[in-house]
Structure formats: structure tokens, C-alpha cells
Amino acid sequence: MYLELEKERNASAMAANEAMGMIARLQEEKTAVLMEARQFQRVVEQKLMHDQEAIEGLREVIARIEEEKRELEEENEFYRSIEVTPCADRGEHTCSKHAVAYRTFLFC
């Protein structure tokens, strides 16, 4: 009977050792996975920051282009509003609006 009890104790001890070994391996794997996840999170955060900076830069470019477009549209509208009429006495064209300031641009 003592021999059977000793066998049971040994079997229990081996099972406990195997369980402890498995627990240690799982903890090591968990630690490795957590470290990998943290590294991945850092990479993702860095990429996110880079992408946000790129988006902001593109927004600034778009804003500059829109401002330039607006200015060109205003300039275009200004030039469309200028009437060029022939000058009967000299055979030249004169501008009825803003002629002095923009004479070089309008070839009047």
C-alpha cells in the first residue's frame, strides 16, 4: 500500500512539475506576445503621426491652391469687366474702366 501511495505521489509531483513548466512556457509566450504587440502599437502610432502630418501638409497645399484659384478668378472677373471701346478720333482702343492702372496689361 505504501508503494502505491508513493507511486501516486510521484505521479502527482510529475504532473505538477509538467503543469508548472507549461505555465512558465505560457508566461514566456505571453510576455513575447505583449512585447510584440507594444512594438506593433508604437509602429502604428508613428505611422499615424506621419500620415496626419502628410494630411495636414496636403490640406495646406489645397488651401494655397484654392486661394490662388480664388485670386485668379477675381483677376479674371476684373479683366472680363473691363470694356474696351474704339477711340474714333485716334483709331486706337481705350479702356473705359481702370485704364491708367492696367494700361501695360491691356495693351491700350
mmCIF file of all heavy atoms in Angstrom, residues 25-48:
data_model
loop_
_atom_site.group_PDB
_atom_site.id
_atom_site.type_symbol
_atom_site.label_atom_id
_atom_site.label_comp_id
_atom_site.label_asym_id
_atom_site.label_seq_id
_atom_site.Cartn_x
_atom_site.Cartn_y
_atom_site.Cartn_z
ATOM 1 N N ARG A 25 6.169 28.300 -19.657
ATOM 2 C CA ARG A 25 6.242 28.495 -21.109
ATOM 3 C C ARG A 25 5.153 29.444 -21.598
ATOM 4 O O ARG A 25 5.388 30.328 -22.422
ATOM 5 C CB ARG A 25 6.147 27.152 -21.832
ATOM 6 C CG ARG A 25 7.438 26.357 -21.813
ATOM 7 C CD ARG A 25 7.388 25.162 -22.758
ATOM 8 N NE ARG A 25 6.328 24.198 -22.458
ATOM 9 C CZ ARG A 25 6.401 23.254 -21.537
ATOM 10 N NH1 ARG A 25 7.492 23.122 -20.793
ATOM 11 N NH2 ARG A 25 5.398 22.423 -21.346
ATOM 12 N N LEU A 26 3.944 29.261 -21.065
ATOM 13 C CA LEU A 26 2.839 30.145 -21.466
ATOM 14 C C LEU A 26 3.097 31.586 -21.033
ATOM 15 O O LEU A 26 2.786 32.529 -21.775
ATOM 16 C CB LEU A 26 1.514 29.629 -20.890
ATOM 17 C CG LEU A 26 0.995 28.331 -21.504
ATOM 18 C CD1 LEU A 26 -0.233 27.837 -20.729
ATOM 19 C CD2 LEU A 26 0.660 28.521 -22.981
ATOM 20 N N GLN A 27 3.675 31.763 -19.845
ATOM 21 C CA GLN A 27 4.002 33.112 -19.394
ATOM 22 C C GLN A 27 5.071 33.745 -20.291
ATOM 23 O O GLN A 27 4.992 34.931 -20.619
ATOM 24 C CB GLN A 27 4.456 33.098 -17.935
ATOM 25 C CG GLN A 27 3.320 32.881 -16.964
ATOM 26 C CD GLN A 27 3.796 32.775 -15.515
ATOM 27 O OE1 GLN A 27 4.938 32.421 -15.237
ATOM 28 N NE2 GLN A 27 2.876 33.056 -14.593
ATOM 29 N N GLU A 28 6.061 32.954 -20.702
ATOM 30 C CA GLU A 28 7.085 33.457 -21.613
ATOM 31 C C GLU A 28 6.471 33.846 -22.961
ATOM 32 O O GLU A 28 6.785 34.897 -23.518
ATOM 33 C CB GLU A 28 8.180 32.404 -21.820
ATOM 34 C CG GLU A 28 9.069 32.199 -20.611
ATOM 35 C CD GLU A 28 10.045 31.025 -20.794
ATOM 36 O OE1 GLU A 28 10.120 30.476 -21.915
ATOM 37 O OE2 GLU A 28 10.704 30.666 -19.814
ATOM 38 N N GLU A 29 5.587 33.000 -23.460
ATOM 39 C CA GLU A 29 4.912 33.309 -24.721
ATOM 40 C C GLU A 29 4.058 34.566 -24.589
ATOM 41 O O GLU A 29 4.026 35.405 -25.482
ATOM 42 C CB GLU A 29 4.046 32.127 -25.163
ATOM 43 C CG GLU A 29 4.829 30.938 -25.666
ATOM 44 C CD GLU A 29 3.936 29.776 -26.071
ATOM 45 O OE1 GLU A 29 2.739 30.005 -26.383
ATOM 46 O OE2 GLU A 29 4.427 28.634 -26.078
ATOM 47 N N LYS A 30 3.361 34.675 -23.462
ATOM 48 C CA LYS A 30 2.530 35.853 -23.218
ATOM 49 C C LYS A 30 3.392 37.106 -23.201
ATOM 50 O O LYS A 30 3.033 38.132 -23.808
ATOM 51 C CB LYS A 30 1.783 35.708 -21.890
ATOM 52 C CG LYS A 30 0.944 36.904 -21.533
ATOM 53 C CD LYS A 30 0.282 36.721 -20.169
ATOM 54 C CE LYS A 30 -0.451 37.971 -19.747
ATOM 55 N NZ LYS A 30 -1.029 37.845 -18.409
ATOM 56 N N THR A 31 4.534 37.045 -22.520
ATOM 57 C CA THR A 31 5.440 38.183 -22.463
ATOM 58 C C THR A 31 5.926 38.555 -23.862
ATOM 59 O O THR A 31 5.954 39.736 -24.224
ATOM 60 C CB THR A 31 6.640 37.875 -21.544
ATOM 61 O OG1 THR A 31 6.146 37.570 -20.235
ATOM 62 C CG2 THR A 31 7.589 39.034 -21.458
ATOM 63 N N ALA A 32 6.294 37.550 -24.649
ATOM 64 C CA ALA A 32 6.767 37.807 -26.012
ATOM 65 C C ALA A 32 5.661 38.438 -26.865
ATOM 66 O O ALA A 32 5.911 39.388 -27.620
ATOM 67 C CB ALA A 32 7.261 36.514 -26.651
ATOM 68 N N VAL A 33 4.446 37.924 -26.730
ATOM 69 C CA VAL A 33 3.328 38.461 -27.500
ATOM 70 C C VAL A 33 3.034 39.904 -27.075
ATOM 71 O O VAL A 33 2.783 40.772 -27.917
ATOM 72 C CB VAL A 33 2.079 37.562 -27.346
ATOM 73 C CG1 VAL A 33 0.833 38.240 -27.878
ATOM 74 C CG2 VAL A 33 2.308 36.238 -28.050
ATOM 75 N N LEU A 34 3.068 40.168 -25.781
ATOM 76 C CA LEU A 34 2.839 41.529 -25.291
ATOM 77 C C LEU A 34 3.906 42.493 -25.805
ATOM 78 O O LEU A 34 3.598 43.624 -26.205
ATOM 79 C CB LEU A 34 2.789 41.557 -23.762
ATOM 80 C CG LEU A 34 1.532 40.969 -23.120
ATOM 81 C CD1 LEU A 34 1.667 40.932 -21.601
ATOM 82 C CD2 LEU A 34 0.312 41.781 -23.521
ATOM 83 N N MET A 35 5.162 42.061 -25.804
ATOM 84 C CA MET A 35 6.237 42.914 -26.312
ATOM 85 C C MET A 35 6.034 43.185 -27.807
ATOM 86 O O MET A 35 6.190 44.321 -28.268
ATOM 87 C CB MET A 35 7.599 42.261 -26.063
ATOM 88 C CG MET A 35 8.017 42.300 -24.599
ATOM 89 S SD MET A 35 9.562 41.411 -24.233
ATOM 90 C CE MET A 35 10.672 42.006 -25.457
ATOM 91 N N GLU A 36 5.669 42.160 -28.543
ATOM 92 C CA GLU A 36 5.423 42.323 -29.973
ATOM 93 C C GLU A 36 4.237 43.263 -30.212
ATOM 94 O O GLU A 36 4.276 44.112 -31.102
ATOM 95 C CB GLU A 36 5.153 40.960 -30.601
ATOM 96 C CG GLU A 36 5.018 40.995 -32.101
ATOM 97 C CD GLU A 36 4.825 39.615 -32.701
ATOM 98 O OE1 GLU A 36 5.074 38.603 -32.027
ATOM 99 O OE2 GLU A 36 4.408 39.562 -33.872
ATOM 100 N N ALA A 37 3.192 43.118 -29.407
ATOM 101 C CA ALA A 37 2.022 43.979 -29.534
ATOM 102 C C ALA A 37 2.376 45.429 -29.233
ATOM 103 O O ALA A 37 1.930 46.344 -29.934
ATOM 104 C CB ALA A 37 0.907 43.501 -28.605
ATOM 105 N N ARG A 38 3.182 45.656 -28.199
ATOM 106 C CA ARG A 38 3.608 47.026 -27.866
ATOM 107 C C ARG A 38 4.441 47.625 -28.990
ATOM 108 O O ARG A 38 4.281 48.798 -29.334
ATOM 109 C CB ARG A 38 4.379 47.034 -26.560
ATOM 110 C CG ARG A 38 3.503 46.830 -25.355
ATOM 111 C CD ARG A 38 4.292 46.957 -24.060
ATOM 112 N NE ARG A 38 3.487 46.485 -22.956
ATOM 113 C CZ ARG A 38 3.827 45.490 -22.148
ATOM 114 N NH1 ARG A 38 4.976 44.862 -22.298
ATOM 115 N NH2 ARG A 38 3.031 45.114 -21.173
ATOM 116 N N GLN A 39 5.338 46.822 -29.547
ATOM 117 C CA GLN A 39 6.163 47.288 -30.671
ATOM 118 C C GLN A 39 5.274 47.621 -31.871
ATOM 119 O O GLN A 39 5.445 48.660 -32.505
ATOM 120 C CB GLN A 39 7.198 46.221 -31.060
ATOM 121 C CG GLN A 39 8.035 46.588 -32.264
ATOM 122 C CD GLN A 39 8.908 47.800 -32.032
ATOM 123 O OE1 GLN A 39 9.269 48.135 -30.911
ATOM 124 N NE2 GLN A 39 9.245 48.475 -33.108
ATOM 125 N N PHE A 40 4.326 46.752 -32.156
ATOM 126 C CA PHE A 40 3.403 46.994 -33.259
ATOM 127 C C PHE A 40 2.598 48.264 -33.016
ATOM 128 O O PHE A 40 2.401 49.072 -33.926
ATOM 129 C CB PHE A 40 2.474 45.794 -33.437
ATOM 130 C CG PHE A 40 1.527 45.931 -34.580
ATOM 131 C CD1 PHE A 40 1.972 45.821 -35.893
ATOM 132 C CD2 PHE A 40 0.181 46.171 -34.356
ATOM 133 C CE1 PHE A 40 1.097 45.957 -36.951
ATOM 134 C CE2 PHE A 40 -0.694 46.306 -35.413
ATOM 135 C CZ PHE A 40 -0.244 46.196 -36.714
ATOM 136 N N GLN A 41 2.162 48.465 -31.768
ATOM 137 C CA GLN A 41 1.395 49.660 -31.426
ATOM 138 C C GLN A 41 2.246 50.916 -31.630
ATOM 139 O O GLN A 41 1.763 51.914 -32.158
ATOM 140 C CB GLN A 41 0.905 49.585 -29.981
ATOM 141 C CG GLN A 41 0.020 50.755 -29.593
ATOM 142 C CD GLN A 41 -0.535 50.616 -28.182
ATOM 143 O OE1 GLN A 41 -0.204 49.681 -27.468
ATOM 144 N NE2 GLN A 41 -1.370 51.545 -27.796
ATOM 145 N N ARG A 42 3.528 50.870 -31.238
ATOM 146 C CA ARG A 42 4.417 52.011 -31.459
ATOM 147 C C ARG A 42 4.568 52.310 -32.947
ATOM 148 O O ARG A 42 4.524 53.468 -33.366
ATOM 149 C CB ARG A 42 5.783 51.764 -30.818
ATOM 150 C CG ARG A 42 5.804 51.975 -29.319
ATOM 151 C CD ARG A 42 7.231 51.981 -28.783
ATOM 152 N NE ARG A 42 7.889 50.694 -28.924
ATOM 153 C CZ ARG A 42 7.837 49.710 -28.045
ATOM 154 N NH1 ARG A 42 7.146 49.859 -26.934
ATOM 155 N NH2 ARG A 42 8.471 48.576 -28.248
ATOM 156 N N VAL A 43 4.732 51.259 -33.731
ATOM 157 C CA VAL A 43 4.879 51.440 -35.185
ATOM 158 C C VAL A 43 3.608 52.055 -35.766
ATOM 159 O O VAL A 43 3.675 52.985 -36.579
ATOM 160 C CB VAL A 43 5.212 50.096 -35.871
ATOM 161 C CG1 VAL A 43 5.088 50.194 -37.381
ATOM 162 C CG2 VAL A 43 6.604 49.636 -35.486
ATOM 163 N N VAL A 44 2.463 51.549 -35.346
ATOM 164 C CA VAL A 44 1.192 52.074 -35.837
ATOM 165 C C VAL A 44 1.024 53.534 -35.431
ATOM 166 O O VAL A 44 0.603 54.376 -36.236
ATOM 167 C CB VAL A 44 0.012 51.208 -35.335
ATOM 168 C CG1 VAL A 44 -1.326 51.882 -35.583
ATOM 169 C CG2 VAL A 44 0.058 49.840 -35.972
ATOM 170 N N GLU A 45 1.364 53.876 -34.197
ATOM 171 C CA GLU A 45 1.248 55.257 -33.734
ATOM 172 C C GLU A 45 2.177 56.175 -34.519
ATOM 173 O O GLU A 45 1.798 57.298 -34.886
ATOM 174 C CB GLU A 45 1.530 55.346 -32.237
ATOM 175 C CG GLU A 45 0.418 54.764 -31.389
ATOM 176 C CD GLU A 45 0.791 54.647 -29.915
ATOM 177 O OE1 GLU A 45 1.959 54.910 -29.561
ATOM 178 O OE2 GLU A 45 -0.095 54.280 -29.117
ATOM 179 N N GLN A 46 3.403 55.717 -34.794
ATOM 180 C CA GLN A 46 4.336 56.520 -35.584
ATOM 181 C C GLN A 46 3.810 56.717 -37.000
ATOM 182 O O GLN A 46 3.884 57.809 -37.559
ATOM 183 C CB GLN A 46 5.713 55.862 -35.616
ATOM 184 C CG GLN A 46 6.436 55.932 -34.292
ATOM 185 C CD GLN A 46 7.723 55.122 -34.299
ATOM 186 O OE1 GLN A 46 8.001 54.378 -35.226
ATOM 187 N NE2 GLN A 46 8.507 55.276 -33.236
ATOM 188 N N LYS A 47 3.273 55.658 -37.589
ATOM 189 C CA LYS A 47 2.718 55.771 -38.934
ATOM 190 C C LYS A 47 1.525 56.713 -38.929
ATOM 191 O O LYS A 47 1.371 57.526 -39.845
ATOM 192 C CB LYS A 47 2.308 54.400 -39.460
ATOM 193 C CG LYS A 47 1.704 54.459 -40.846
ATOM 194 C CD LYS A 47 1.792 53.156 -41.567
ATOM 195 C CE LYS A 47 1.163 53.181 -42.936
ATOM 196 N NZ LYS A 47 1.324 54.334 -43.729
ATOM 197 N N LEU A 48 0.702 56.630 -37.910
ATOM 198 C CA LEU A 48 -0.451 57.510 -37.795
ATOM 199 C C LEU A 48 -0.003 58.966 -37.723
ATOM 200 O O LEU A 48 -0.557 59.831 -38.411
ATOM 201 C CB LEU A 48 -1.285 57.136 -36.569
ATOM 202 C CG LEU A 48 -2.504 58.022 -36.293
ATOM 203 C CD1 LEU A 48 -3.522 57.904 -37.422
ATOM 204 C CD2 LEU A 48 -3.136 57.633 -34.969
#
